[in-house]
Amino acid sequence: MRKIKKFKVAIHLKEILRRIRLANIDSAAAGFPLESDLAVFIASLHQSLRPGVVYEFIEGQCLELSSAGIKHEDRFSVCAVTLGREIEEAAAGLTNMHAAAIANIVIYDFLRTAVTFIADLIKEDAAKEDFEVEGYELLSSPVFAYGPLPRFLREAPKVEPEIAKSALPALFERLNAAKINVRFEGGQVWPKATIVFIMPWRKKKGKK
């Protein structure tokens, strides 16, 4: 079962502003003395989003993963979700390090929203088959130059980077990731604002 979906990433403005405050970034030094200035900047980044996702349900072994030493013998979904290259280009053009740090926080929050949305779709697919999912395991996630790594990436289980890198080229070919302009090149995933993950399915436990 392979799906390609176009979707919109919602702006959670209050949450993003909260994360910026927690990061202790000097918004005035970034060029945003007022909260309304920040809101306009966040909205401009949102307009540059070109999100895309490919994901597939797999039952049994996946040769693209098992050949790299990644074992998932039960049911699971594998997914690549991206925000597109345009938002990275917008952030890369920022010469003010405070503004760049804010942009990275915004991009991370957009990624969190996108991953949550897709994870919910996978949960719905699993529930229709009387299965449930148990969170996700990261194969690839971005690290930007400025701004703290968010909790949803810090705490998620991760495949060892070198093992994941050996699996990604064949996995992207299987998923036809080129349809969302995602590729593996020069030892990393492009666009950088892309997350690749696995979500195991488990049979729902019967009531006692």
Side-chain angles (χ1 to χ4, degrees):
M1 175 177 65
R2 181 178 300 166
K3 295 187 178 180
I4 301 170
K5 288 187 177 282
K6 294 181 180 179
F7 62 98
K8 293 183 179 179
V9 177
I11 298 180
H12 300 294
L13 183 59
K14 289 183 179 179
E15 178 63 19
I16 293 173
L17 291 173
R18 185 184 72 84
R19 292 177 187 277
I20 292 170
R21 287 193 296 269
L22 287 175
N24 293 318
I25 298 171
D26 189 339
S27 298
F32 313 117
L34 302 176
E35 192 171 275
S36 58
D37 298 321
L38 264 178
V40 170
F41 176 64
I42 293 165
S44 71
L45 289 175
H46 186 264
Q47 289 178 351
S48 68
L49 289 176
R50 300 294 183 272
V53 59
V54 286
Y55 65 103
E56 183 178 350
F57 167 73
I58 299 172
E59 186 172 10
Q61 284 200 2
C62 170
L63 181 60
E64 291 81 1
L65 295 178
S66 61
S67 62
I70 303 170
K71 302 297 182 183
H72 280 281
E73 297 181 358
D74 298 320
R75 298 184 177 206
F76 62 96
S77 292
V78 61
C79 172
V81 58
T82 185
L83 300 181
R85 64 177 175 79
E86 288 81 0
I87 192 168
E88 294 174 34
E89 292 172 352
L94 297 169
T95 56
N96 182 305
M97 64 177 293
H98 301 287
I102 288 173
N104 287 172
I105 289 173
V106 175
I107 292 172
Y108 276 136
D109 200 78
F110 289 161
L111 276 171
R112 180 183 62 84
T113 300
V115 168
T116 299
F117 177 77
I118 301 305
D120 285 345
L121 290 180
I122 294 172
K123 288 176 185 177
E124 290 176 7
D125 289 340
K128 291 174 184 176
E129 303 295 328
D130 203 30
F131 279 74
E132 56 191 5
V133 296
E134 298 183 344
Y136 49 82
E137 182 179 19
L138 295 174
L139 289 172
S140 177
S141 59
V143 176
F144 297 112
Y146 301 103
L149 191 67
R151 182 176 178 180
F152 86 100
L153 295 181
R154 264 195 335 266
E155 297 184 355
K158 300 173 183 64
V159 174
E160 287 294 327
E162 292 307 312
I163 295 176
K165 286 178 181 179
S166 67
L168 287 172
L171 187 62
F172 281 178
E173 185 174 350
R174 174 173 182 148
L175 291 174
N176 202 359
K179 285 195 172 183
I180 58 169
N181 298 314
V182 167
R183 68 191 190 280
F184 186 81
E185 186 177 291
Q188 71 177 73
V189 175
W190 301 95
K192 194 173 181 181
T194 299
I195 291 180
V196 187
F197 62 91
I198 298 167
M199 288 193 77
W201 292 29
R202 296 288 182 267
K203 193 71 176 176
K204 288 183 179 179
K205 296 179 180 179
K207 294 181 179 179
K208 294 183 179 179

